Each structure stands twice: as structure tokens, then as C-alpha cells.
């Protein structure tokens, strides 16, 4: 297979990101996202492409002053085990460092992959109580998953909450 590039996503990539996401939604691996949500988050995404075709994507969502989340990390099945996931995570980590983040969270079934990238499983409440109370006000489901709130538990069954210090 030929080389691929990782770059910031553009609005024209959103339909391709949605196409990558749909099979994982159907298999209940990732939660679905409406196109409006994806377009609104385009600046959070990086994509991997080969010859103009998307083969993977991932997003970095800032949650707090020092904390971000790796979200919607997807590699097309025919590109698994070619370093695409690693390259996407490295691109997201570079963005996190540039933003001044010190920690990255992920919620994943792919524990081995993220462990190789330096993430480790976490328990509950890894932020101080003041930050916790502020994060409780967020309408973002990803923040609720980070906080391990009861109302999102059906979405997170089988997933592992992981953290990396940058």
C-alpha cells in the first residue's frame, strides 16, 4: 500500500468522516454523530488520507485547562496495522501540546492500542472537586463519560477509561 498523510480536517471531509463512523455505530462500537455535530467540530479533527481518500480520522476535544479527550478515532479496516492509528494519535497529541494540555483522556475498547501509546486505565474522579463541579455543568456527553456519570453508563459498557500525561 502506498503512503498516506495526516492533516487537519476540512469541512469537505465531514461526509467522509461520517462514512467512516457509520459502520462502527452499527456495530455499537462508537456513538453516532449527526452531520451538524461533525461540521461544528471540524476543527477538532485530523484525517489520514491516501490519494484523496479518507482512511482514518480522530478528534481532540478540549475538556478543561489541562485536559483533552481523544475522540472518534477510526481507521478503515483495510488500513489497520499500517501505523495509521498511531499517526493519528501522534497528530492529536501534537495539537494537545500546542494548546497547552497536559493530559489526554480516552474511552475505548482498544486498551492494548492505547496502552502502547502511553495511556493507562484510570479510576473515578481524577480532577479536583472544584473542576468536577464545573465539568458537571457541561452538556457534552463525552465530559459525562469522563466523569463516569450514571446516565451515560449504558453508552460506556465494556469501554475502558484511560489517561495519558503528556
Amino acid at each position: 500500500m502506498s503512503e498516506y498523510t495526516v492533516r487537519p480536517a476540512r469541512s469537505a471531509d465531514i461526509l467522509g468522516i461520517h462514512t467512516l463512523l457509520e459502520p462502527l455505530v452499527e456495530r455499537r462500537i462508537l456513538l453516532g454523530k449527526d452531520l451538524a455535530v461533525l461540521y461544528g467540530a471540524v476543527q477538532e479533527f485530523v484525517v489520514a488520507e491516501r490519494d484523496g481518500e479518507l482512511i482514518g480520522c480522530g478528534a481532540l476535544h478540549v475538556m478543561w485547562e489541562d485536559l483533552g479527550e481523544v475522540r472518534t478515532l477510526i481507521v478503515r479496516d483495510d488500513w489497520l496495522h499500517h501505523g495509521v492509528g498511531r499517526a493519528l494519535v501522534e497528530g492529536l497529541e501534537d495539537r494537545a501540546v500546542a494548546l497547552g494540555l497536559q493530559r489526554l483522556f480516552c474511552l475505548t475498547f482498544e486498551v492494548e492500542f492505547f496502552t502502547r501509546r502511553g495511556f493507562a486505565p484510570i479510576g473515578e474522579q481524577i480532577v479536583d472537586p472544584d473542576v468536577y463541579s464545573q465539568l458537571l455543568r457541561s452538556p457534552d456527553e463525552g465530559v459525562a463519560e469522563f466523569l463516569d456519570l450514571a446516565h451515560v453508563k449504558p453508552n460506556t459498557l465494556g469501554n475502558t477509561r484511560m489517561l495519558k500525561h503528556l
Side-chain angles (χ1 to χ4, degrees):
M1 291 189 181
S2 64
E3 285 296 308
Y4 56 87
T5 58
V6 173
R7 61 166 176 78
R10 299 183 285 259
S11 59
D13 296 319
I14 294 302
L15 290 177
I17 290 170
H18 191 261
T19 298
L20 290 171
L21 180 60
E22 280 307 299
L24 298 174
V25 171
E26 289 172 11
R27 291 173 21 211
R28 305 194 78 193
I29 294 171
L30 292 176
L31 293 175
K33 291 185 171 58
D34 292 325
L35 284 172
V37 172
L38 291 172
Y39 279 112
V42 67
Q43 70 282 356
E44 296 183 357
F45 279 88
V46 295
V47 296
E49 70 175 346
R50 185 193 59 130
D51 299 329
E53 188 175 354
L54 293 190
I55 61 171
C57 66
L60 171 66
H61 180 76
V62 175
M63 298 172 77
W64 199 251
E65 177 184 12
D66 67 334
L67 178 67
E69 180 184 9
V70 173
R71 292 183 171 181
T72 321
L73 185 66
I74 304 168
V75 176
R76 212 170 67 188
D77 286 346
D78 57 330
W79 277 89
L80 292 173
H81 310 293
H82 288 90
V84 177
R86 180 185 68 240
L88 288 165
V89 170
E90 287 171 357
L92 295 172
E93 288 178 357
D94 289 345
R95 292 177 111 183
V97 169
L99 289 170
L101 302 180
Q102 299 168 2
R103 300 178 297 167
L104 282 180
F105 166 76
C106 70
L107 181 69
T108 185
F109 290 111
E110 301 296 334
V111 174
E112 289 181 30
F113 171 82
F114 280 98
T115 298
R116 289 192 305 271
R117 308 276 81 73
F119 287 76
I122 57 170
E124 294 181 23
Q125 198 148 345
I126 62 162
V127 294
D128 68 49
D130 289 338
V131 172
Y132 185 89
S133 68
Q134 291 293 321
L135 288 174
L136 278 174
R137 298 177 183 158
S138 173
D140 188 281
E141 288 296 302
V143 172
E145 291 168 348
F146 169 74
L147 297 175
D148 204 24
L149 300 180
H151 77 274
V152 294
K153 292 228 187 257
N155 299 340
T156 63
L157 291 176
N159 281 289
T160 299
R161 298 165 70 243
M162 301 184 80
L163 191 73
K164 177 177 183 173
H165 293 272
L166 300 172

